[in-house]
Amino acid sequence: MAERDVTRLAVLGATGSIGTSTLDVAARHPEAFRVHAVAAGRDVEGLLAICQRHRPARAALADASAAAQLSARLRAEGIAGIEVSAGEDGVAALAADAEVDAVVTAVVGAAGLASSMAACEAGKTILLANKETLVVAGEAFMETARRSGARIVPVDSEHNAVFQGLPGGKASAPGVERILLTASGGPFRDRDPDTLAAVTPEEAVAHPNWSMGRKISVDSATMMNKGLEVIEACHLFGLAPERVDVVIHRQSLVHALVGYCDGSYLAQVGSPDMRVPIAYAMGYPERLASGVELVDLAAAGRLDFEAVEERRFPCLRLAYQALRAGGGACAVLNAANEVAVDAFLEGRLRFDRIAAVTEEALAAQAPPAPRDLPSASAIDAQARRTAEAAVARIEG
Ligand code: MG
């Protein structure tokens, strides 16, 4: 393959589970992909190992002192020719680099917003994995993409499955009626809801099917993760909330279904391994080997589907509530939930009170939709203050 056919990648959030899976798929297809830039938050040794293996032209760490350490470690290892930048601006600069064709946005949390936006404004192909981009600033992001011509291919397993089930990835295609996102139900799907007050951080991060970071694991246990995914799906595919449903599917083999007006569902089925959706997003519209085998359906045996119990998962209801409220409500929901989850992980808030903190923040403010990053961060900051006050009062 000629050099011009090589896709030059920027992998933001390179040390996390999505970043690692992306680099794994890229390494399987050296003729098709070159890792041009990698970025992470503060994991010096993790990014150093990636630099040694993939030899990118650029690397960045959001934490400035960690970036200085990385430069020193690269020198100590005798690795030359990697330009290191620091800070969130440094990470966002990689997203807009003229030598990058496709950007994997896998930075976790609201910190990933600036780099996703930078990639969008630069008109890149975006392999979107950062949830907050669409949750916090969905309207501004999609509008920017329309203007810049950025192509957005979702990496999250559910949205990627929907994308695969839609003609040309578009829900505006004739005959599309609704989409159905599946949820594993997390570690507490069978636990007596009356005992959720006693849940410890260790229990909450032990996901039955997926291995993920701590924050998203807690979100999975409360099902706020699914709520955020419903919000993302509405923006990504231009759907009203009532056309997006959630169903519990404990095997995590069917990731989403697209329902058509003729009574057909198209389902995407695959192992719960992020390399499956990542390889699809990287190769789209072609299929790439991901290193993952087809599911042995006879060995799997069953595909179960169940309704979501609202009493057990109040966070899902809050997400629909924010979506219907519109404006900046989803940004409030997201920020308040981050505060509540942090407080839970630090032992400052009971698990079953995460929803209460988030609900209080939603009730306290109804800002307009953020137009840009500064207005998004203003909403975010205000919601965090409200949520912190709620945590202090509820646990006080
Ligand atoms: Mg997901």
Side-chain angles (χ1 to χ4, degrees), residues 270-359:
S271 289
D273 183 319
M274 284 309 293
R275 289 176 298 172
V276 177
I278 286 166
Y280 183 81
M282 288 170 73
Y284 180 78
E286 284 161 33
R287 296 268 175 184
L288 294 176
S290 66
V292 182
E293 303 278 312
L294 285 165
V295 174
D296 181 341
L297 288 172
R302 302 175 53 144
L303 299 175
D304 294 312
F305 298 94
E306 302 154 57
V308 179
E309 264 179 275
E310 192 179 302
R311 173 163 168 257
R312 188 187 293 278
F313 299 111
C315 286
L316 183 60
R317 169 181 56 81
L318 292 178
Y320 275 100
Q321 184 187 316
L323 198 45
R324 278 190 290 263
C330 293
V332 173
L333 174 93
N334 178 69
N337 177 62
E338 277 195 28
V339 166
V341 170
D342 277 349
F344 165 68
L345 286 171
E346 289 164 10
R348 294 188 287 118
L349 183 72
R350 264 171 39 186
F351 179 80
D352 63 330
R353 291 172 171 168
I354 292 173
V357 168
T358 306
E359 185 154 31

Side-chain angles (χ1 to χ4, degrees), residues 134-135 137-139 142 230-239 323 330:
L134 288 169
V135 171
E139 281 149 37
M142 296 307 288
V230 169
I231 296 168
E232 287 181 277
C234 288
H235 286 299
L236 203 46
F237 301 112
L239 291 168
L323 198 45
C330 293

Side-chain angles (χ1 to χ4, degrees), residues 158-224:
E158 295 80 0
H159 305 94
N160 188 271
V162 171
F163 193 90
Q164 294 196 37
L166 288 169
K170 302 232 181 298
S172 55
V176 175
E177 199 161 287
R178 59 200 309 104
I179 64 176
L180 198 48
L181 307 182
T182 62
S184 69
F188 308 135
R189 59 196 176 197
D190 297 319
R191 181 166 168 150
D192 177 356
D194 291 329
T195 68
L196 291 175
V199 164
T200 64
E202 289 62 40
E203 289 172 319
V205 300
H207 194 276
N209 304 359
W210 295 93
S211 100
M212 307 177 289
R214 282 165 72 78
K215 196 266 175 181
I216 188 173
S217 294
V218 176
D219 284 346
S220 182
T222 63
M223 264 175 83
M224 180 60 92

Side-chain angles (χ1 to χ4, degrees), residues 59-68 83-93:
L61 283 164
D63 182 278
S65 71
E83 183 193 332
V84 176
S85 37
E88 283 186 21
D89 291 349
V91 175

